[in-house]
Amino acid sequence: MQSVSDFQFDPDRHYEFVDGEWQERKPEGALHGGTMGRLNRHLCEFVEQENRGRVYLFCSYQIGANERIIDLSFISTARIPPEGEPDTKWMIAPDLAVEIISHTDLYCDVYRRLTDYLNANVKQVWLVNPSDHSVMIYRSYADITVFTDDAEWTCEDLLSGFRLPLHKVFNPS
């Protein structure tokens, strides 16, 4: 297992601690960033309407033994501690973890993230794939909803009333 003192951090890069090793989280391309930005805008607008909680972009969480940087995440108002947001990483798992799938992502890495999140009791994990314009919502390993093409994306159980046509995220005008 690596120790912090054995690892040379570059302050201009982002790192995750996974399976006892520090791993660099590299920046993604424009498609990834654009998709994340558009989804962030729509999700923030929805969440802020009724003070449902807070949305975080590229935020660090302690997920079991691993420290993960989640592309987009949500924590409900009821779960935000009285002292507010921490200066460093969150020590609680989010209610929602969103991963934007990039063309450079390996299936095994995406699956490991999904596994980490579900095992940490994240209520929903959204895997958003800009390449094929799809969204997979995982509530558990067996409870999965898939949205494709120009469907309207909903998730009534976590964010009641959330509705978003996929084209607003994948085909901006």
mmCIF file of all heavy atoms in Angstrom, residues 25-33 71 100 102-105:
data_model
loop_
_atom_site.group_PDB
_atom_site.id
_atom_site.type_symbol
_atom_site.label_atom_id
_atom_site.label_comp_id
_atom_site.label_asym_id
_atom_site.label_seq_id
_atom_site.Cartn_x
_atom_site.Cartn_y
_atom_site.Cartn_z
ATOM 1 N N ARG A 25 -6.691 11.224 -11.924
ATOM 2 C CA ARG A 25 -7.961 11.348 -12.659
ATOM 3 C C ARG A 25 -7.728 12.392 -13.733
ATOM 4 O O ARG A 25 -7.606 13.579 -13.440
ATOM 5 C CB ARG A 25 -9.078 11.748 -11.693
ATOM 6 C CG ARG A 25 -10.438 11.877 -12.335
ATOM 7 C CD ARG A 25 -11.207 10.555 -12.305
ATOM 8 N NE ARG A 25 -12.377 10.636 -13.145
ATOM 9 C CZ ARG A 25 -13.623 10.776 -12.696
ATOM 10 N NH1 ARG A 25 -13.856 10.817 -11.417
ATOM 11 N NH2 ARG A 25 -14.624 10.853 -13.528
ATOM 12 N N LYS A 26 -7.586 11.938 -14.952
ATOM 13 C CA LYS A 26 -7.208 12.821 -16.053
ATOM 14 C C LYS A 26 -8.401 13.602 -16.593
ATOM 15 O O LYS A 26 -9.524 13.113 -16.572
ATOM 16 C CB LYS A 26 -6.564 12.008 -17.165
ATOM 17 C CG LYS A 26 -5.279 11.365 -16.693
ATOM 18 C CD LYS A 26 -4.552 10.659 -17.781
ATOM 19 C CE LYS A 26 -3.284 10.120 -17.167
ATOM 20 N NZ LYS A 26 -2.468 9.358 -17.997
ATOM 21 N N PRO A 27 -8.136 14.804 -17.099
ATOM 22 C CA PRO A 27 -9.221 15.585 -17.704
ATOM 23 C C PRO A 27 -9.771 14.866 -18.932
ATOM 24 O O PRO A 27 -9.044 14.153 -19.609
ATOM 25 C CB PRO A 27 -8.559 16.907 -18.096
ATOM 26 C CG PRO A 27 -7.136 16.820 -17.709
ATOM 27 C CD PRO A 27 -6.862 15.462 -17.148
ATOM 28 N N GLU A 28 -11.027 15.085 -19.180
ATOM 29 C CA GLU A 28 -11.688 14.453 -20.321
ATOM 30 C C GLU A 28 -11.850 15.465 -21.450
ATOM 31 O O GLU A 28 -11.526 16.634 -21.306
ATOM 32 C CB GLU A 28 -13.057 13.909 -19.890
ATOM 33 C CG GLU A 28 -12.974 12.871 -18.794
ATOM 34 C CD GLU A 28 -12.332 11.559 -19.218
ATOM 35 O OE1 GLU A 28 -12.161 11.318 -20.416
ATOM 36 O OE2 GLU A 28 -11.993 10.765 -18.328
ATOM 37 N N GLY A 29 -12.429 15.015 -22.557
ATOM 38 C CA GLY A 29 -12.606 15.857 -23.734
ATOM 39 C C GLY A 29 -13.822 16.764 -23.656
ATOM 40 O O GLY A 29 -14.560 16.790 -22.671
ATOM 41 N N ALA A 30 -14.024 17.489 -24.731
ATOM 42 C CA ALA A 30 -15.094 18.479 -24.807
ATOM 43 C C ALA A 30 -16.484 17.837 -24.729
ATOM 44 O O ALA A 30 -17.380 18.391 -24.095
ATOM 45 C CB ALA A 30 -14.964 19.294 -26.090
ATOM 46 N N LEU A 31 -16.675 16.679 -25.353
ATOM 47 C CA LEU A 31 -17.980 16.011 -25.308
ATOM 48 C C LEU A 31 -18.340 15.667 -23.865
ATOM 49 O O LEU A 31 -19.466 15.908 -23.412
ATOM 50 C CB LEU A 31 -17.978 14.751 -26.180
ATOM 51 C CG LEU A 31 -19.282 13.960 -26.234
ATOM 52 C CD1 LEU A 31 -20.409 14.815 -26.813
ATOM 53 C CD2 LEU A 31 -19.098 12.692 -27.061
ATOM 54 N N HIS A 32 -17.396 15.129 -23.137
ATOM 55 C CA HIS A 32 -17.585 14.794 -21.722
ATOM 56 C C HIS A 32 -17.907 16.058 -20.926
ATOM 57 O O HIS A 32 -18.882 16.121 -20.184
ATOM 58 C CB HIS A 32 -16.316 14.127 -21.203
ATOM 59 C CG HIS A 32 -16.380 13.696 -19.778
ATOM 60 N ND1 HIS A 32 -16.136 14.553 -18.733
ATOM 61 C CD2 HIS A 32 -16.646 12.491 -19.225
ATOM 62 C CE1 HIS A 32 -16.244 13.911 -17.591
ATOM 63 N NE2 HIS A 32 -16.553 12.639 -17.859
ATOM 64 N N GLY A 33 -17.078 17.087 -21.081
ATOM 65 C CA GLY A 33 -17.261 18.326 -20.335
ATOM 66 C C GLY A 33 -18.548 19.039 -20.682
ATOM 67 O O GLY A 33 -19.230 19.574 -19.799
ATOM 68 N N ASP A 71 -18.019 12.763 -11.004
ATOM 69 C CA ASP A 71 -18.255 13.809 -12.005
ATOM 70 C C ASP A 71 -19.305 14.810 -11.527
ATOM 71 O O ASP A 71 -19.099 16.013 -11.555
ATOM 72 C CB ASP A 71 -18.711 13.202 -13.342
ATOM 73 C CG ASP A 71 -17.572 12.529 -14.101
ATOM 74 O OD1 ASP A 71 -16.400 12.854 -13.842
ATOM 75 O OD2 ASP A 71 -17.870 11.680 -14.965
ATOM 76 N N ILE A 100 -20.144 10.478 -16.158
ATOM 77 C CA ILE A 100 -20.247 10.696 -17.593
ATOM 78 C C ILE A 100 -19.214 9.766 -18.233
ATOM 79 O O ILE A 100 -18.018 9.874 -17.959
ATOM 80 C CB ILE A 100 -19.940 12.160 -17.978
ATOM 81 C CG1 ILE A 100 -20.703 13.164 -17.098
ATOM 82 C CG2 ILE A 100 -20.199 12.384 -19.472
ATOM 83 C CD1 ILE A 100 -22.197 13.110 -17.182
ATOM 84 N N SER A 102 -16.724 8.358 -20.822
ATOM 85 C CA SER A 102 -15.859 8.921 -21.855
ATOM 86 C C SER A 102 -15.400 7.813 -22.793
ATOM 87 O O SER A 102 -15.386 6.640 -22.417
ATOM 88 C CB SER A 102 -14.653 9.569 -21.178
ATOM 89 O OG SER A 102 -13.714 9.969 -22.144
ATOM 90 N N HIS A 103 -14.991 8.193 -23.981
ATOM 91 C CA HIS A 103 -14.497 7.200 -24.944
ATOM 92 C C HIS A 103 -13.220 6.522 -24.454
ATOM 93 O O HIS A 103 -12.848 5.464 -24.950
ATOM 94 C CB HIS A 103 -14.282 7.843 -26.316
ATOM 95 C CG HIS A 103 -13.136 8.803 -26.357
ATOM 96 N ND1 HIS A 103 -13.215 10.072 -25.829
ATOM 97 C CD2 HIS A 103 -11.887 8.663 -26.830
ATOM 98 C CE1 HIS A 103 -12.053 10.682 -25.977
ATOM 99 N NE2 HIS A 103 -11.234 9.854 -26.585
ATOM 100 N N THR A 104 -12.545 7.088 -23.476
ATOM 101 C CA THR A 104 -11.319 6.487 -22.947
ATOM 102 C C THR A 104 -11.569 5.610 -21.721
ATOM 103 O O THR A 104 -10.649 4.952 -21.237
ATOM 104 C CB THR A 104 -10.300 7.581 -22.571
ATOM 105 O OG1 THR A 104 -10.880 8.430 -21.580
ATOM 106 C CG2 THR A 104 -9.886 8.398 -23.783
ATOM 107 N N ASP A 105 -12.791 5.599 -21.202
ATOM 108 C CA ASP A 105 -13.101 4.794 -20.016
ATOM 109 C C ASP A 105 -13.088 3.305 -20.344
ATOM 110 O O ASP A 105 -13.602 2.881 -21.381
ATOM 111 C CB ASP A 105 -14.484 5.148 -19.452
ATOM 112 C CG ASP A 105 -14.486 6.424 -18.657
ATOM 113 O OD1 ASP A 105 -13.457 6.757 -18.050
ATOM 114 O OD2 ASP A 105 -15.542 7.100 -18.636
#
